[in-house]
Amino acid sequence: MSWFTPHMKKLLYSEPLKQALRGYDSFSVMLEHFNRTRGWDPLSRIQYVDIKTYLVDDILTKVDRASMAHSLEVRVPFLDHEVMEYAANIPAHYKLRNGSGKYIFKKTLEGLVPPEILTRTKMGFSIPLAQWLRSDLKSEFEDRVFSSDGFVARLFALDPIRGWWAQHQRGTRDYSTHLWALLILESWGRRFITR
């Protein structure tokens, strides 16, 4: 729900932003779904929350845009409500086996799909963001985010960002997701708010 920890937010948020938020925490969106699953096993709880939040608001959006741009339908069979309901009722110990997820699904595909496909590590849509922020995007980030009249400077304290930026540049910490979020927010704010 948020790459920024509560401690990071406390350092980052300006006083006017803290007052405007009046104690709102983005985790409250997830908490509502967790509260519906009291008494469930931990895996089923997190899967339910994942389906209600991350899956619909992030992953499926990305997959839909990428696949439909090429006239592909890639997810519908697995998200049929009867398949989802059936999968949700499978006991947790059948879903995970020896630290491996999708156990039943993989066993079903044995003999149909080559073993190197079934056993390979998960591959996402990752990009070399950490490196880009140390090279190609370095000057753009510094010019935009550290601008005293920028959008980010209206909402956040720049000193913590400078500290995270310095650690990231030295390679002592990877703050790429945090820094990327700030750069995108700055770019969005310039385009749609401050113009």
Side-chain angles (χ1 to χ4, degrees):
M1 183 52 78
S2 175
W3 292 313
F4 293 89
T5 65
H7 176 71
M8 292 172 86
K9 290 177 186 179
K10 188 176 180 180
L11 295 173
L12 185 63
Y13 291 1
S14 67
E15 282 307 313
L17 180 59
K18 288 176 186 174
Q19 290 174 8
L21 290 173
R22 290 187 222 131
Y24 172 79
D25 181 8
S26 56
F27 185 73
S28 65
V29 174
M30 297 177 103
L31 192 57
E32 174 187 332
H33 298 296
F34 273 115
N35 288 339
R36 290 185 191 148
T37 63
R38 284 198 175 104
W40 295 14
D41 66 88
L43 180 60
S44 296
R45 290 187 85 187
I46 196 66
Q47 285 180 322
Y48 177 83
V49 173
D50 207 40
I51 288 166
K52 294 295 187 179
T53 58
Y54 183 56
L55 188 68
V56 295
D57 293 333
D58 190 302
I59 295 298
L60 295 181
T61 303
K62 291 176 188 173
V63 170
D64 280 348
R65 287 180 185 160
S67 61
M68 297 311 282
H70 301 282
S71 302
L72 295 173
E73 197 68 67
V74 299
R75 66 178 174 93
V76 174
F78 296 109
L79 295 181
D80 176 86
H81 75 94
E82 291 177 352
V83 173
M84 293 286 289
E85 290 166 5
Y86 181 79
N89 285 306
I90 295 173
H93 65 277
Y94 290 120
K95 294 177 185 177
L96 284 175
R97 179 82 46 104
N98 298 325
S100 178
K102 302 178 186 174
Y103 176 75
I104 294 173
F105 183 63
K106 290 176 183 177
K107 288 301 269 182
T108 304
L109 294 176
E110 279 182 359
L112 300 172
V113 175
E116 60 272 12
I117 300 296
L118 288 178
T119 58
R120 75 178 180 192
T121 56
K122 188 173 179 173
M123 298 169 65
F125 301 108
S126 61
I127 56 174
L129 187 56
Q131 181 55 40
W132 287 352
L133 286 164
R134 292 184 187 106
S135 57
D136 300 76
L137 294 174
K138 183 177 180 179
S139 61
E140 183 172 350
F141 183 92
E142 291 172 343
D143 293 345
R144 287 177 169 260
V145 176
F146 294 139
S147 172
S148 60
D149 63 342
F151 182 71
V152 164
R154 293 179 179 190
L155 301 172
F156 305 131
L158 293 181
D159 285 344
I161 301 171
R162 285 188 184 98
W164 302 328
W165 179 251
Q167 289 179 51
H168 185 82
Q169 293 306 308
R170 287 191 304 267
T172 56
R173 291 286 304 268
D174 181 0
Y175 284 109
S176 57
T177 52
H178 308 88
L179 299 169
W180 176 251
L182 292 166
L183 178 59
I184 294 303
L185 179 63
E186 178 63 39
S187 300
W188 175 85
R190 284 179 185 224
R191 181 166 184 184
F192 296 106
I193 306 298
T194 61
R195 292 195 174 239

